[in-house]
Amino acid sequence: MNIEKITAARGTVTVPGDKSISHRAVMFGAIADGVSKITGFLNGADCMSTIDCFRKMGVKIDVNDSSVTVHGAGMRGLSAPSGTLYTGNSGTTTRLLCGLLAAQSFDCSVNGDASIAKRPMRRVCNPLRLMGAKIDGDYCPLTIHGTQLHGIEYHMEVASAQVKTALILAAMYADGETIIYETEKSRDHTELMLKAMGADIDVDALKITVRPTSRITAQNVTVPGDISSAAFFMALGAVMKDSEITIKNVGVNPTRTGIIDVMRSMGADITLSNERVVTGEKAADITVRTSQLHGVTIGGDIIPRLIDEIPIIAVMAAFADGTTVIRDARELKVKETNRIRAVTDEFTKCGIDITETDDGMIIRGGSCIHSADFKTYGDHRMAMSLCVLAQAADGVFTLDDAECVNVSYPGFFGDLRSLNG
Ligand code: S3P
């Protein structure tokens, strides 16, 4: 596909619902007592994989565009699926299911696409095994033999909300208390939502205590827009000339706003307005105007707060004055693709001065960027980042696979076009 170019980015856009919250609203609603109505649900491929898996376990779920109704089956109400649960491209579906399935009274298998088959599952299977889980394999396909789990005290090895959530789900079914210590704070949508639904969870900084929970109660969820999707327009507004974009109703949970902190430290003109709380999650409108950015160093405990935004931060760094260093981001190697390698290869192709490092990248801004045929590696966030890069650069750019944006943002190209000012 030829990347269509807009001349300036001006106007207002509403991005689809938060992917992490949409997954959780379906999963937790499925094991709750009662009916949950979810509005602003992300109707993208990943969250549809979650819905398909729970339908296969007997949960009635009605989908009407971004409105979803989940008829909760209760914590002991899931039934054995007749075949393998297929999780598509979704790491969140796969890993969260491991925690939940380990505690059921049936066996089942989980598998996903070629990218999922390469993503490490040991990080979730091993702590679950310490709880007594019986899981065959460390990569998909996994077979999980449901059993009674036990509480443990566990120090996490990676900052991962997927691993944390799998353990919290398993811990609710365990026969004793579980204490989880995080290395750094990762997104906390699970803790917020499950606590609101009545789960016995306490959070004290990096320590999470989960006590056995026999029931959670359905709640209606209004999902805010995904800051990881808004990030593409935040960057576009900053790097494109004559631009001003307002992104409405974006989730600004503090565990997700590393991109705002980084953009401010790069000198971006970015403001939040209409700040509010919706179903326990902070939300705001975000306005970004054309800005002369400068390079920064990004590392340490901010990384989990912006892990999915690193490809688009790298795009901003390419247009910034000076050098940007991204470190402590080894996790990028095990995302939908190796994002350190993918960003480095594609940026190099169009003339950007970038060096791959073991835990990140170094980008020297201000290179003369030229035409290129970009590869997405089937990664939705690579596709959208490269598309933003093309908007602010001179030249003609193509993408080998534009379809992959459907994983998290099916209307991305239309929304981009709508900003053409
Ligand atoms: C997610 C957690 C993050 C993130 C992913 C969504 C979640 O992954 O990259 O896109 O919803 O819990 P990790 O837990 O592997 O860091």
Side-chain angles (χ1 to χ4, degrees):
M1 178 192 98
N2 238 319
I3 300 180
E4 210 179 297
K5 302 260 228 150
I6 62 173
T7 51
R10 303 192 68 82
T12 298
V13 68
T14 304
V15 297
D18 187 277
K19 184 153 79 68
S20 295
I21 298 175
S22 296
H23 280 299
R24 286 159 173 79
V26 169
M27 290 193 184
F28 306 164
I31 56 165
D33 287 352
V35 175
S36 321
K37 283 202 185 321
I38 309 168
T39 45
F41 178 79
L42 168 61
N43 198 333
D46 267 18
C47 297
M48 290 313 293
S49 294
T50 290
I51 288 184
D52 287 347
C53 290
F54 280 88
R55 281 178 171 158
K56 279 199 182 137
M57 291 188 282
V59 182
K60 181 169 164 6
I61 304 174
D62 311 317
V63 181
N64 186 353
D65 195 19
S66 63
S67 297
V68 171
T69 306
V70 183
H71 301 263
M75 283 188 63
R76 296 280 169 199
L78 300 178
S79 50
S82 53
T84 297
L85 294 178
Y86 183 71
T87 59
N89 190 243
S90 177
T92 306
T93 312
T94 311
R95 295 205 177 105
L96 270 54
L97 272 179
C98 288
L100 189 60
L101 295 172
Q104 301 305 310
S105 53
F106 52 81
D107 297 353
C108 87
S109 296
V110 177
N111 204 4
D113 68 7
S115 154
I116 282 293
K118 288 197 213 136
R119 298 186 67 182
M121 295 297 151
R122 190 175 295 143
R123 55 179 56 201
V124 59
C125 296
N126 272 357
L128 288 171
R129 287 176 183 128
L130 295 175
M131 298 178 81
K134 295 180 186 141
I135 305 175
D136 303 337
D138 283 322
Y139 286 90
C140 278
L142 298 169
T143 299
I144 302 169
H145 308 274
T147 189
Q148 177 59 54
L149 301 177
H150 314 295
I152 55 166
E153 197 165 321
Y154 184 69
H155 291 263
M156 291 183 62
E157 289 172 5
V158 281
S160 164
Q162 293 177 354
V163 173
K164 173 174 66 173
T165 304
L167 298 183
I168 291 174
L169 286 170
M172 294 199 310
Y173 288 87
D175 57 11
E177 181 180 90
T178 295
I179 302 177
I180 302 161
Y181 296 94
E182 293 194 78
T183 52
E184 280 138 7
K185 193 81 196 155
S186 63
R187 63 194 67 191
D188 65 355
H189 308 299
T190 296
E191 298 89 306
L192 293 175
M193 196 181 285
L194 283 176
K195 208 169 163 54
M197 296 171 85
D200 195 347
I201 297 181
D202 289 321
V203 181
D204 176 13
L206 297 176
K207 178 182 176 191
I208 302 158
T209 307
V210 187
R211 281 170 285 269
T213 297
S214 56
R215 71 188 291 264
I216 55 173
T217 309
Q219 67 161 357
N220 295 336
V221 178
T222 301
V223 183
D226 197 328
I227 192 166
S228 299
S229 298
F232 301 109
F233 295 117
M234 290 157 66
L236 182 72
V239 299
M240 250 195 119
K241 61 177 172 25
D242 301 329
S243 297
E244 176 172 336
I245 305 176
T246 296
I247 310 128
K248 296 279 222 191
N249 189 35
V250 183
V252 287
N253 176 317
T255 61
R256 298 285 298 280
T257 49
I259 175 126
I260 297 177
D261 299 353
V262 163
M263 286 184 71
R264 286 195 169 132
S265 68
M266 293 178 88
D269 178 351
I270 176 168
T271 49
L272 268 58
S273 57
N274 196 15
E275 290 180 59
R276 57 203 181 273
V277 175
V278 186
T279 330
E281 291 278 355
K282 288 187 177 168
D285 301 340
I286 300 178
T287 301
V288 181
R289 297 178 191 86
T290 309
S291 316
Q292 183 50 57
L293 303 176
H294 51 80
V296 288
T297 294
I298 306 166
D301 62 8
I302 197 171
I303 294 293
R305 296 177 54 231
L306 49 67
I307 189 71
D308 291 340
E309 287 67 74
I310 291 178
I312 191 64
I313 289 173
V315 169
M316 288 189 280
F319 292 101
D321 290 332
T323 301
T324 294
V325 179
I326 300 172
R327 58 176 181 235
D328 304 321
R330 226 172 253 107
E331 275 296 296
L332 290 179
K333 294 183 181 177
V334 291
K335 294 297 176 187
E336 283 80 338
T337 187
N338 176 342
R339 287 184 177 155
I340 298 181
R341 176 69 46 81
V343 168
T344 307
D345 286 353
E346 298 316 296
F347 279 26
T348 303
K349 224 183 237 179
C350 67
I352 296 170
D353 186 349
I354 180 168
T355 308
E356 173 180 352
T357 64
D358 186 45
D359 64 349
M361 56 195 87
I362 301 167
I363 301 156
R364 285 159 285 265
S367 304
C368 181
I369 300 173
H370 54 74
S371 305
D373 294 325
F374 285 137
K375 269 179 75 174
T376 65
Y377 307 87
D379 180 338
H380 54 130
R381 299 201 200 284
M382 282 301 298
M384 292 183 272
S385 299
L386 294 168
C387 183
V388 170
L389 167 54
Q391 300 307 316
D394 289 332
V396 177
F397 299 88
T398 64
L399 268 190
D400 66 336
D401 170 21
E403 292 278 293
C404 63
V405 305
N406 292 337
V407 158
S408 65
Y409 198 160
F412 174 73
F413 294 106
D415 284 351
L416 175 63
R417 216 172 293 127
S418 77
L419 289 171
N420 196 358

